[in-house]
Amino acid sequence: MPLPLNVAPDHRTVVPSSLLRRLLPFLNWPSRITRRTLRIDALAGVTVALVAIPQSLAYAQLAGLPPFYGLYAALVPTVIGALFGSSAQLSTGPVALTSLLTAASIATLAVAGSEQYVAYAVTVALLSGVFQLAFGVMRLGVLMNLLSHPVLMGFVNAAAILITLSQVPTLLGASPPATGHIISDAGYVLADATNAHARSLLFGVGALVLLIGFRRFAPRWPGVLIVAALLTFLSFLTGFAESGGRIVGDIPAGLPAFSLPPFELDTWIRLLPASFVVAVISFMEAMSSAKIAAIKTASKWDENQELIGQGLAKIAAAACHTMPVSGSFSRSALNLAANAQTGISSIVAAFCVLLTVLFFTPLLKYLPQPVLAAIIIMALANLINVGSLRTAWKASRDDALAAALTFATTLAFAPQIQNGIFTGMLVSLALFIYRRMRPRMSVVSPAAAIAQGAIAQGAMPNQATGIVRFDASLVFVNVSYFEKAVLRLEQESPGLRFVLVSCGAINGLDASGVEMLSGLVEELRKKGIAMAFSAVKPHVRDVLDRTGLAERIGKENFYLSEPEALGALALRNPVS
């Protein structure tokens, strides 16, 4: 008799395939791969690579590293992100926001481009990757929701301004004094335009004009690659470097050495907060791209698996001795537009970058750095979202305040922009807790209840019943607020006989709530006032029953609805 598929000849159960597929999500690809999908993915990969090569050089420059480090970050990390992530369209590699965060994290610790600076960047890649991997393994993807969308948008919009300003000196070919503050450096250059290098200005502004033209009139063309190639050739012909212009320069032949950064406790402790911010923000950026792709392709994605994939990609970046990576919004959009079906598109893109690193790096030598600055600035169009801030203002003043403070503090603390996101998270959480301490509450005195027609039809109105409507769970942060409101009602309502608590919106009751209600029931009872409850939800009633509070309140004081309660209480206290 044939053995079941999942049983080995010695009758020991084989590891379930579902577990393997969860640990190694790329095992799910074969079921979706056909000749047609291979052709589509290959074309998508080549398209993404045409954009990734110049972008990678630009983002490494933004991170304060020699440009060729961006190519290293677009190799193995891209493949790892595709193999272990959950989104078929998400393209992993160097991105603008993560590059800026990396530069901000280590700007005050070492000179940009130095050997020590590179070592710090690699360490940030490792630590941020470990954070993401740990979050994914522990299924903590839900914790990413602690960073609200308005706070994230406040940070991203401020970061976009800082990225633009950080590229102004390079775009103009100027050398500002190293003040350590992005805004000050850009202000110095703009205030004294005579420091600008004329040819650098022409190349930088020319690149911007061409990129805008491609985006508007030929969005399907690889405008970034065409502009970079054209201006690189023009740089070579006109002797841009010989005239004082800055170019990419020689790129080391071959592949990077594979090794993890050495363990240095003091350095790791110093970089832990910044690495945490890189882990959180870069994943939020990747998550937005994965969500969009999932919606447009009607497919599923797993935030915890994506955390694992992005974390392993960052660790791979550290092993390749390069900068932190993340999911790219622009390159993922290209994958989506090209109808990429699996992560094979990212593997093809990485293979194209590999060919470039091995055989074509001499062609990149004369690429002007002002052109890279223009590429970075153009990428900001995908980051800036002023409309989301307007929406936050219309939806909630709390959200708007948190977004505004995040925006302002990010600019103020630059280059330590991680302080901006910490400020925003603390403010949003503080406002959240404050609002839970003082939730929406309606206290209706007996006289007002009669004036508003609150007494049930058919019941004899009287001056003895006050109503308390509480729109939140009754828990430790707000029990004092509730108790004070009830006692104030008692003090301001002579002749009060009943306090009716309308519980329709009370979804929870904790130990502090039980203790407060127990004391309040006894205190009011001593004054001849009974507390009644209407529309109590089953799980709240279970708490009252288990703690014995329901028995102390008395079953005669529980009603199915507010109208029923008001009618019954009116009959219990008829007007004489």
Side-chain angles (χ1 to χ4, degrees):
M1 186 176 70
L3 290 169
L5 292 178
N6 64 336
V7 178
D10 61 357
H11 302 286
R12 289 176 297 180
T13 301
V14 176
V15 177
S17 61
S18 59
L19 176 61
L20 278 178
R21 291 178 184 276
R22 192 163 64 247
L23 295 174
L24 308 172
F26 57 86
L27 293 178
N28 295 304
W29 294 359
S31 62
R32 303 198 301 269
I33 294 176
T34 63
R35 287 185 178 182
R36 175 179 171 275
T37 62
L38 280 174
R39 185 173 63 253
I40 292 173
D41 286 342
L43 181 59
V46 172
T47 303
V48 169
L50 294 178
V51 174
I53 291 168
Q55 274 192 350
S56 298
L57 295 167
Y59 295 152
Q61 176 176 292
L62 175 60
L65 299 168
F68 61 84
Y69 278 89
L71 296 177
Y72 297 162
L75 288 172
V76 177
T78 299
V79 175
I80 295 298
L83 291 176
F84 291 93
S86 65
S87 173
Q89 292 77 29
L90 186 65
S91 175
T92 302
V95 296
L97 189 55
T98 301
S99 298
L100 177 67
L101 282 168
T102 301
S105 302
I106 55 183
T108 59
L109 303 178
V111 177
S114 67
E115 185 176 338
Q116 187 63 57
Y117 187 97
V118 173
Y120 286 150
V122 173
T123 301
V124 170
L126 176 63
L127 295 178
S128 59
V130 170
F131 272 124
Q132 288 187 334
L133 179 61
F135 292 156
V137 169
M138 293 188 291
R139 317 292 291 174
L140 297 179
V142 68
L143 293 182
M144 297 298 110
N145 295 325
L146 290 177
L147 180 60
S148 69
H149 184 71
V151 168
L152 179 63
M153 287 299 99
F155 175 78
V156 167
N157 280 279
I161 293 174
L162 293 172
I163 292 172
T164 302
L165 293 177
S166 72
Q167 296 307 300
V168 167
T170 304
L171 191 73
L172 302 182
S175 299
T179 64
H181 199 287
I182 296 172
I183 298 176
S184 299
D185 290 349
Y188 176 87
V189 171
L190 293 173
D192 189 1
T194 57
N195 284 325
H197 182 253
R199 287 198 182 187
S200 295
L201 180 60
L202 286 174
F203 272 91
V205 174
L208 277 175
V209 172
L210 289 172
L211 289 169
I212 292 172
F214 273 107
R215 176 170 291 184
R216 182 170 182 181
F217 300 110
R220 293 185 177 275
W221 289 28
V224 174
L225 181 70
I226 294 173
V227 170
L230 176 63
L231 295 182
T232 299
F233 183 63
L234 189 60
S235 165
F236 172 74
L237 287 181
T238 60
F240 175 69
E242 288 75 9
S243 70
R246 291 180 232 170
I247 60 175
V248 169
D250 293 320
I251 296 177
L255 298 175
F258 291 90
S259 64
L260 289 174
F263 176 72
E264 297 177 358
L265 182 60
D266 292 343
T267 300
W268 284 32
I269 291 175
R270 190 184 306 175
L271 293 175
L272 271 178
S275 300
F276 176 80
V277 172
V278 170
V280 172
I281 299 301
S282 66
F283 183 70
M284 295 295 289
E285 187 176 14
M287 187 168 65
S288 65
S289 298
K291 280 183 176 179
I292 291 173
I295 291 171
K296 292 190 175 182
T297 59
S299 60
K300 295 181 179 180
W301 77 287
D302 186 323
E303 60 188 10
N304 292 303
Q305 186 60 51
E306 204 59 61
L307 272 168
I308 292 173
Q310 291 295 303
L312 290 174
K314 284 182 173 64
I315 294 172
C320 294
H321 206 64
T322 189
M323 57 196 277
V325 295
S326 185
S328 167
F329 186 90
S330 60
R331 298 194 297 276
S332 299
L334 279 177
N335 260 334
L336 192 60
N339 199 27
Q341 302 294 303
T342 69
I344 288 176
S345 61
S346 292
I347 295 176
V348 171
F351 180 72
C352 293
V353 176
L354 175 63
L355 293 178
T356 302
V357 171
L358 293 177
F359 304 110
F360 302 117
T361 51
L363 299 179
L364 301 173
K365 176 179 179 179
Y366 293 96
L367 176 58
Q369 291 193 15
V371 175
L372 296 181
I375 292 172
I376 292 171
I377 292 172
M378 280 301 298
L380 300 181
N382 295 322
L383 292 179
I384 297 175
N385 189 349
V386 178
S388 64
L389 301 181
R390 288 197 298 267
T391 301
W393 173 259
K394 294 176 182 178
S396 167
R397 296 297 185 265
D398 287 355
D399 285 341
L401 176 60
L405 285 174
T406 303
F407 180 86
T409 53
T410 300
L411 293 178
F413 283 119
Q416 301 298 319
I417 59 175
Q418 62 270 21
N419 293 334
I421 201 71
F422 280 137
T423 300
M425 290 178 70
L426 289 174
V427 168
S428 62
L429 288 174
L431 290 172
F432 174 82
I433 293 172
Y434 178 75
R435 293 305 175 197
R436 295 305 178 274
M437 292 175 67
R438 301 175 63 84
R440 188 184 299 276
M441 186 176 183
S442 172
V443 180
V444 185
S445 67
I450 293 175
Q452 296 172 13
I455 300 298
Q457 186 176 4
M460 187 176 295
N462 62 78
Q463 298 285 337
T465 303
I467 307 168
V468 176
R469 301 185 180 101
F470 195 71
D471 293 345
S473 295
L474 198 52
V475 293
F476 70 99
V477 294
N478 57 35
V479 292
S480 176
Y481 180 63
F482 179 92
E483 183 179 31
K484 288 178 181 178
V486 173
L487 292 177
R488 186 166 58 249
L489 171 65
E490 180 267 324
Q491 293 169 2
E492 296 174 357
S493 304
L496 186 70
R497 287 284 312 279
F498 304 102
V499 173
L500 173 63
V501 181
S502 184
C503 301
I506 299 179
N507 293 312
L509 180 68
D510 69 358
S512 298
V514 170
E515 187 67 24
M516 180 274 298
L517 286 177
S518 180
L520 194 57
V521 166
E522 294 302 323
E523 182 176 351
L524 292 178
R525 184 171 289 164
K526 292 176 181 177
K527 298 178 180 180
I529 301 171
M531 285 191 76
F533 299 81
S534 67
V536 180
K537 294 189 174 181
H539 51 278
V540 175
R541 181 59 188 261
D542 287 344
V543 175
L544 295 174
D545 289 337
R546 288 198 306 269
T547 58
L549 181 55
E551 184 178 354
R552 291 196 296 275
I553 293 172
K555 63 180 181 179
E556 71 278 5
N557 290 316
F558 287 96
Y559 302 93
L560 294 178
S561 67
E562 184 177 306
E564 178 191 341
L566 290 170
L569 294 176
L571 294 174
R572 286 170 59 179
N573 186 61
V575 177
S576 57

